[in-house]
Amino acid sequence: MIVKFIISILIIYICTYLGIYKAKTYENRERELKKIKNALAFFKSKIEFTYEPIQEIFMQISKSVYLHKDNIFLRTTRYLRDTDLSNSWNKSVDESIDFNKEDKEILKMFGKLLGKTDKKGQISEIEISQSFIEKQIEKAEQEKNKNSKLYKSLGVSLGIGIVIILI
């Protein structure tokens, strides 16, 4: 009897954990898009008012926005040793797990002209990317609100359902 109870609690716990884990993907996407938006604003102001190289600006973004955690900007600076800026950016975007396909396409569009235009062109490219990212943030918030609660509830319900079937 005690073994059945322990197994039942364990099943409910595991299913609940899986539901919460899946719900976290929606929260992570929204959080990462907001960080990208802040990073682009930082990038824009640095491009506008300083003459620092992009690699230095990316390191500063990595330190201030991401607090030294692994991120697109840090990976891009690492890959710059092997290839050009655009390819480094695209490789970093491809490795990001928190973004969906549409997010990655927008970020890659930004990367195509990264470092290849003059100051005005770079600023306008950043502004266009910021508007696209803003729309993606709105979509991410809607998806999070819709699906986050669903997956959490589904995890608990599935766990209870399995326990009921086994008893």
Side-chain angles (χ1 to χ4, degrees):
M1 186 68 179
I2 293 176
V3 174
K4 266 188 177 181
F5 179 74
I6 292 172
I7 291 173
S8 299
I9 296 296
L10 190 62
I11 289 171
I12 292 171
Y13 175 78
I14 290 170
C15 290
T16 302
Y17 175 79
L18 291 174
I20 291 170
Y21 181 78
K22 180 64 179 170
K24 275 276 192 211
T25 60
Y26 293 99
E27 295 167 13
N28 291 344
R29 177 178 173 230
E30 180 189 14
R31 184 178 61 247
E32 285 303 309
L33 285 170
K34 286 180 178 177
K35 283 184 180 181
I36 288 287
K37 180 184 170 195
N38 291 339
L40 289 177
F42 185 93
F43 185 47
K44 179 183 171 190
S45 66
K46 283 290 190 176
I47 293 287
E48 261 180 321
F49 301 114
T50 68
Y51 290 99
E52 296 177 39
I54 291 177
Q55 187 172 4
E56 267 186 47
I57 296 172
F58 276 14
M59 288 303 291
Q60 291 173 5
I61 289 170
S62 180
K63 290 175 186 175
S64 63
V65 176
Y66 290 92
L67 306 173
H68 297 285
K69 295 178 183 171
D70 188 42
N71 61 74
I72 290 176
F73 298 94
L74 184 61
R75 284 193 304 268
T76 300
T77 56
R78 279 192 221 132
Y79 295 141
L80 275 172
R81 296 178 191 125
D82 303 327
T83 185
D84 69 330
L85 186 58
S86 182
N87 289 329
S88 298
W89 177 261
N90 288 338
K91 189 174 180 182
S92 297
V93 169
D94 285 335
E95 290 179 3
S96 299
I97 59 172
D98 292 322
F99 302 118
N100 66 17
K101 187 177 178 181
E102 194 177 348
D103 299 337
K104 288 182 179 183
E105 288 302 315
I106 289 169
L107 291 172
K108 284 181 179 182
M109 267 187 348
F110 169 70
K112 283 181 184 175
L113 297 176
L114 193 60
K116 294 180 181 174
T117 60
D118 64 343
K119 190 175 180 178
K120 281 186 177 183
Q122 201 70 59
I123 290 170
S124 66
E125 190 66 31
I126 292 169
E127 289 171 348
I128 290 168
S129 296
Q130 282 177 317
S131 67
F132 283 133
I133 295 292
E134 187 64 43
K135 290 176 187 171
Q136 290 303 106
I137 290 171
E138 290 172 15
K139 287 180 184 178
E141 286 174 350
Q142 290 171 354
E143 286 181 21
K144 182 189 85 168
N145 292 338
K146 182 177 115 182
N147 295 329
S148 188
K149 193 183 254 186
L150 171 77
Y151 280 108
K152 289 176 184 176
S153 302
L154 191 61
V156 173
S157 301
L158 184 65
I160 292 172
I162 292 171
V163 168
I164 289 172
I165 290 171
L166 292 177
I167 292 178

